[in-house]
Amino acid sequence: MDRALREARLAAERGEVPIGAVIVGPDGAILAAAGNRTEEMRDPTAHAEMLVIRAAAAQLGAPRLVDCDLHVTLEPCPMCAQAISFARIRRLYWGAADPKGGGIEHGPRIFDQPTCHHKPELYPGIAEAEAGELLRAFFRERR
């Protein structure tokens, strides 16, 4: 999660919402790390989770990331939660909860839907205080 937090801080420095993500492969090595780039790329799907899923899949040469784990600083949104399911991520660790835009414990609860084909193991609240403070500070500066 430390690397995901670092990616979130780098995203904030670029003027992006400070969310960072890391995918760890079956051998424990980092396959991909990224922060949000929606503004930079002018792409509403350029969330940190989507970027690392794409990068890890390309690196492995496979559309599924079986036995890979995702660490992200904020509860994934519904779009990212669905991509996590499609990618067959083994374990999902996240920092801060997202009552407004989350898709796992909040909102549509993607993994609890009968149409969801794969539910990763879930580990919420990892470095929650630090991840939450990064987000609060970012938005406080913009108000």
Side-chain angles (χ1 to χ4, degrees):
M1 188 60 81
D2 288 337
R3 178 68 186 273
L5 287 163
R6 182 168 35 148
E7 294 294 334
R9 287 189 288 275
L10 291 170
E13 290 174 13
R14 294 189 304 271
E16 301 278 356
V17 175
I19 300 169
V22 173
I23 290 191
V24 177
D27 62 356
I30 292 176
L31 295 174
N36 275 1
R37 292 189 177 276
T38 57
E39 300 299 326
E40 175 186 330
M41 298 175 82
R42 295 174 176 78
D43 178 355
T45 70
H47 291 194
E49 302 96 319
M50 300 295 283
L51 296 173
V52 294
I53 288 170
R54 290 176 188 141
Q59 183 170 334
L60 294 176
R64 288 169 201 81
L65 304 174
V66 178
D67 297 326
C68 292
D69 301 332
L70 173 61
H71 302 256
V72 63
T73 58
L74 182 68
E75 175 185 352
C77 74
M79 172 185 69
C80 292
Q82 194 65 60
I84 290 163
S85 178
F86 288 155
R88 306 296 194 266
I89 297 290
R90 175 178 57 184
R91 294 184 191 110
L92 172 60
Y93 302 85
W94 75 85
D98 189 357
K100 184 177 177 183
I104 297 168
E105 289 187 330
H106 300 90
R109 301 175 188 259
I110 296 297
F111 300 139
D112 293 335
Q113 299 304 314
T115 55
C116 182
H117 298 294
H118 172 76
K119 179 179 180 175
E121 294 175 32
L122 303 175
Y123 299 91
I126 310 298
E128 182 174 14
E130 186 174 355
E133 183 51 35
L134 276 171
L135 288 158
R136 284 188 294 279
F138 178 81
F139 288 110
R140 197 169 37 243
E141 291 173 11
R142 278 151 180 73
R143 289 188 185 121

